Amino acid sequence: MPDLSYIESCAQTLGEHLRPGATVVLESTTYPGTTEEVLVPILEKASGLKGGVDFLAGFSPERIAPGNARWSFEGTPKLVSGVDAKSLDVIKGFYDGIFQTTVPVSGPKVAEMAKLIENVFRFVNISMINELATLAAPLGVDVWEAIDAASTKPFGFTRFTPGPGVGGHCLPVDPLFLSWKIREELGVPFRFVELADDVNRHMPDYVVRRLAEALDKRGKSVSGSRILLLGLTYKFNATDLRNSPSARVAELLIDLGADVRGADPNIPDGGENKLNVPCIDASPEEIAAADAVVLLMDHPDSTSRRSRSTPPTSSTAETVSPDRTSRPSSSPKSSALLPLCHLQEFSCVLNGNTPTRTTPDPRNAGFPPRWPTARATGAIT
């Protein structure tokens, strides 16, 4: 059952101070019917006023993409709705002063459903490509080459790429609001969402299993191995740790007896306490000291980023500093690290003397400039 306690608490507080003529707009993603069936009744009871008569109300879902430089806050079209025509007119007028484009719809339920359609679309497609990634390798198919090939189709295809799971609130939580509502009112499951949830919840298990298999091939076990997790937030170029799959990956590895450390240039102060792993700087020494390095989120540099399609310019080991200058690796080990193949935000490289792949994959040469890098001796696809 969805937890609407924040909405209910805010509605109660607002209702106690609501005055005639006021306008209340809900922006939180929620199931269809929340505005009219939950928010407005609480406001009416707490204030003694009548919605649509004494005060105006509506729903206008937030559309924010942390780390997205292409779409600004005000440049993203804004859906607006009202419980009646007057509410819609006032709410649209308010947001017209903030956003470049407003899109009015017939009522709050439509706007609430529209927001969930946006989230479910991403959730289901990410889940599909995640499951496909777990199946492609056993079939002898490079899933990245297949995705790149499919992406050349100029119509009827949207590119999604695999990773260690989904995080935040919009994808792992919000689609389940709609699933609950459908089951509650219609008595049937929303099978796509429930299957997608199952796939994504088990992606951290897949990451750990692949890592364990790779270590085992080198005569090591996860227990006692020093594992460095790079990129801990759930989304690139963001600071948000909510529901990040990195927490589950770390938990599984710790349960197996691994010495786990994490590194993320974007993690906020105190954020490591949410993951129960020590956060360190990914220095050449720390990377070389690890038995395995797992790249969970490849944060791009905020000003420039080496493309994955750009091949290495030199075959000698190097490290890349934040200002993109190169210098010889100071790693105490002869083998240093650069992802050769990956599952998008899941890549793993292992220190050792027995390479599993000796020819670098040029698609995966773009290691985040914020982290020092060099050649790998082995990597998991």
Side-chain angles (χ1 to χ4, degrees), residues 84 97 321:
D84 56 16
S321 63

Side-chain angles (χ1 to χ4, degrees), residues 63-271:
R63 282 174 166 173
I64 299 175
N68 189 325
R70 180 181 178 185
W71 291 101
S72 65
F73 176 74
E74 65 278 2
T76 302
K78 181 71 166 170
L79 296 181
V80 294
S81 69
V83 296
D84 56 16
K86 185 177 181 182
S87 293
L88 174 59
D89 184 59
V90 170
I91 291 170
K92 183 180 185 303
F94 171 75
Y95 284 116
D96 280 341
I98 302 173
F99 294 87
Q100 296 171 12
T101 304
T102 56
V103 182
V105 297
S106 60
K109 282 188 176 181
V110 173
E112 290 160 343
M113 177 67 89
K115 173 60 177 177
L116 286 173
I117 289 174
E118 297 168 16
N119 291 4
V120 168
F121 173 79
R122 292 163 55 211
F123 186 51
V124 168
N125 279 282
I126 290 172
S127 302
M128 181 275 292
I129 208 68
N130 275 346
E131 183 170 34
L132 191 60
T134 69
L135 302 173
L139 290 174
V141 176
D142 182 335
V143 69
W144 283 93
E145 183 179 2
I147 292 171
D148 288 343
S151 299
T152 62
K153 185 180 180 182
F155 55 89
F157 181 81
T158 301
R159 181 186 177 94
F160 288 88
T161 51
V166 294
H169 201 276
C170 289
L171 298 190
V173 179
D174 292 349
L176 301 181
F177 288 177
L178 183 56
S179 179
W180 172 86
K181 182 67 172 179
I182 290 172
R183 190 178 286 275
E184 182 77 5
E185 289 204 2
L186 306 181
V188 297
F190 189 2
R191 291 174 293 176
F192 271 101
V193 163
E194 293 180 5
L195 179 59
D197 180 53
D198 181 69
V199 169
N200 276 309
R201 281 191 294 106
H202 288 92
M203 285 307 293
D205 300 82
Y206 174 72
V207 171
V208 172
R209 185 172 73 251
R210 292 295 302 276
L211 173 59
E213 291 170 354
L215 285 168
D216 184 65
K217 290 179 181 179
R218 290 160 179 76
K220 291 179 176 288
S221 67
V222 174
S223 180
S225 290
R226 182 164 169 170
I227 311 297
L228 175 59
L229 305 179
L230 293 184
L232 305 175
T233 62
Y234 78 88
K235 187 174 183 179
F236 70 89
N237 210 27
T239 62
D240 202 338
L241 288 167
R242 291 177 304 157
N243 299 310
S244 175
S246 63
R248 180 58 179 163
V249 171
E251 179 184 17
L252 290 169
L253 290 171
I254 291 171
D255 288 345
L256 291 173
D259 176 12
V260 183
R261 299 158 190 237
D264 192 313
N266 293 347
I267 201 168
D269 292 340

